[in-house]
Amino acid sequence: MSNEALVRLAEERVDHRFKGLPPDADGLTVAELAAQRRNLFTGGFATPVLALSAERLEHNLDLMEAYAVRHGLAFAPHGKTSMAPQLFQRQIEHGAWGITLAVPHQVRVARAYGTQRIFLANELVDPAALRWIAGELAADPDFHLICYVDSVRGVEQMDAALREAGATRPLDVVVELAAGEGARTGVRTEAECATVADAVAAAPTLRLVGVAGYEGEVPQANPERVQAWLRRLVSLAADFDKAGRFAGLKEIVVSAGGSAWFDAVADVFAEIPELSLPVLKLLRSGAYVSHDDGHYRKLTPFNRVPQEGALEPAFRLWAQVVSRPSPDQAFVNAGKRDAAYDLDLPVAQVVRRATVDGAERPATGISVTALSDQHAWLRTTEEADLEVGDWLGMGLSHPCTSFDKWQLIPVAEADGTVVDYIRTFF
């Protein structure tokens, strides 16, 4: 990755664009502010403010690196979760093969910060994006991009756009096998997969390098259904190999893996038979980097394989009590503009009293019942010790939407010391 680009990122000036940061930090560079090691609670940060736990972030990076190595998997975590080049860098430093992305804009962000291997988990038919990618491939022989194909029409459009762009290197593609009838994208049957592969073979601007899909879309998913679909994917790779479709390659790509079923991916990919070439078993789980306190806490495969470790939720949204109109109701100053709410409401976790020593205590008797644009509605019981001015720390559900709402996110150690700032690009 390009360290120069990341250095330039740290040279960005802090100002009104970045919510939650200390107003008196305006004009400092991000690097200068980080060097001050301000405290999240006493260093002038304004509520609401979202923070990442430094220790939990590192734990999650270490855990998935070890998991991939243990199971013989290459790892291309999905970058759409964070859209944060600094985290892409840390993921690659923790052994990732590259970064998975979903749309051309995300690829442009990753390339701007030097990502050399990208798995684009989508069929790309936009001529402008294909022209740009052809240029990137021509300009940088070390740049490697793999893209889905899931239709003959798509292959034809890709080929036409790349020809018009004067592509000098073929674009590597994998046939996407759909997770079932009524699932999301992908080719529905193996016979149709072969037809799409034939179209790729006839397109000089494309090169078939493997097969892929997303098991998270398996209808009525359970371990048996997910494993059955993964075995279809593996069989498709073996059939393509037997038919000589991968001749001339150095390896065959077989890729799957979201954040809910990567244990099934590891189990089935361990069964891949010996093919004519080495197999790149590419896992793409992305939500692990921050994990969460809701959806993924319930769905994580580590619940099924606790002996392999446990991810830790790294996000906490801090807001301040701005109204306490009745004994059973309170409001804090963070709402839909600040908190992920597409899967679950935030969860009240801890309270800090602004007027005392700032010690944290459990948010006993406090629950979030609704969100307005800029307020969270709290229900409070007799146990709740909550006053106007108190800080409330909330856990969030869905990492992707949490990152999406904040452009510059403080990374805080357990004592509140802010040691870094993560820049996002959505």
Side-chain angles (χ1 to χ4, degrees):
M1 273 205 169
S2 170
N3 288 327
E4 290 181 11
L6 290 172
V7 168
R8 288 196 299 274
L9 196 57
E11 293 169 353
E12 191 166 15
R13 297 285 173 181
V14 173
D15 58 25
H16 60 275
R17 291 171 296 163
F18 306 122
K19 59 185 180 181
L21 299 193
D24 67 347
D26 278 10
L28 296 177
T29 67
V30 173
E32 288 169 344
L33 180 56
Q36 291 183 354
R37 295 177 63 86
R38 296 195 185 198
N39 187 278
L40 187 68
F41 309 107
T42 61
F45 289 84
T47 56
V49 60
L50 180 70
L52 274 166
S53 161
E55 295 87 355
R56 291 183 170 199
L57 184 63
E58 185 65 23
H59 167 85
N60 293 342
L61 290 165
D62 286 341
L63 182 65
M64 284 305 291
E65 178 184 14
Y67 185 88
V69 170
R70 188 181 309 124
H71 291 279
L73 301 169
F75 191 27
H78 211 317
K80 58 94 177 175
T81 295
S82 70
M83 285 308 299
Q86 294 150 284
L87 294 182
F88 296 172
Q89 164 107 343
R90 291 184 67 177
Q91 288 170 316
I92 288 169
E93 289 171 351
H94 280 75
W97 170 92
I99 299 294
T100 296
L101 296 162
V103 293
H105 160 256
Q106 296 172 354
V107 179
R108 290 188 63 201
V109 170
R111 287 297 290 158
Y113 294 92
T115 304
Q116 290 293 80
R117 289 175 175 166
I118 293 173
F119 187 97
L120 183 59
N122 230 332
E123 183 168 71
L124 180 59
V125 295
D126 184 299
L130 286 162
R131 281 196 299 273
W132 176 77
I133 283 174
E136 288 290 296
L137 290 169
D140 185 355
D142 294 325
F143 175 41
H144 185 195
L145 185 138
I146 300 172
C147 176
Y148 278 178
V149 291
D150 86 338
S151 66
V152 172
R153 173 67 172 156
V155 168
E156 292 171 347
Q157 289 182 313
M158 294 172 75
D159 182 48
L162 290 167
R163 283 174 185 258
E164 186 178 341
T168 58
R169 286 173 58 194
L171 175 59
D172 287 347
V173 298
V174 290
V175 172
E176 182 194 5
L177 177 67
E181 287 300 323
R184 204 164 63 187
T185 54
V187 186
R188 293 311 196 240
T189 69
E190 280 76 358
E192 290 173 292
C193 285
T195 301
V196 173
D198 287 341
V200 173
T205 61
L206 303 176
R207 181 174 70 164
L208 182 68
V209 297
V211 299
Y214 175 47
E215 76 292 337
E217 283 291 314
V218 169
Q220 300 171 320
N222 60 32
E224 294 72 31
R225 289 175 185 269
V226 169
Q227 289 193 0
W229 177 81
L230 287 163
R231 290 193 177 98
R232 280 184 63 199
L233 184 68
V234 168
S235 294
L236 180 64
D239 290 345
F240 276 10
D241 185 43
K242 189 175 180 180
R245 295 186 184 277
F246 301 128
L249 300 179
K250 292 182 179 179
E251 62 187 4
I252 298 166
V253 177
V254 182
S255 179
S259 296
W261 294 103
F262 56 74
D263 56 333
V265 174
D267 289 345
V268 174
F269 279 14
E271 303 169 0
I272 293 178
E274 186 172 345
L275 303 182
S276 66
L277 296 165
V279 177
L280 183 73
K281 304 172 183 179
L282 197 59
L283 182 69
R284 307 193 306 271
S285 315
Y288 81 99
V289 69
S290 67
H291 198 46
D292 76 359
D293 278 295
H295 184 72
Y296 287 102
R297 182 194 282 274
K298 300 169 195 166
L299 288 185
T300 176
F302 288 115
N303 291 339
R304 294 186 291 271
V305 287
Q307 69 276 12
E308 300 228 39
L311 294 169
E312 297 178 352
F315 271 132
R316 182 166 281 171
L317 176 63
W318 289 96
Q320 209 163 7
V321 179
V322 293
S323 180
R324 189 81 163 95
S326 68
D328 62 355
Q329 196 173 35
F331 295 86
V332 293
N333 62 345
K336 293 179 180 178
R337 297 292 174 262
D338 314 296
Y341 63 95
D342 52 324
L343 295 178
D344 298 292
L345 288 172
V347 178
Q349 295 179 326
V350 294
V351 176
R352 296 179 67 97
R353 182 133 296 162
T355 55
V356 196
D357 60 1
E360 288 182 10
R361 62 182 185 279
T364 306
I366 304 169
S367 57
V368 179
T369 60
L371 295 178
S372 300
D373 277 357
Q374 306 292 173
H375 293 90
W377 296 56
L378 307 182
R379 180 182 295 122
T380 55
T381 68
E382 292 181 357
E383 298 175 285
D385 178 14
L386 197 66
E387 297 178 355
V388 169
D390 288 351
W391 284 45
L392 178 69
M394 294 175 283
L396 302 175
S397 180
H398 198 187
C400 304
T401 315
S402 300
F403 278 106
D404 195 349
K405 291 179 176 293
W406 294 81
Q407 290 184 296
L408 197 59
I409 304 171
V411 179
E413 293 180 339
D415 66 356
T417 302
V418 176
V419 295
D420 200 1
Y421 296 82
I422 300 297
R423 184 71 156 93
T424 65
F425 294 87
F426 284 93

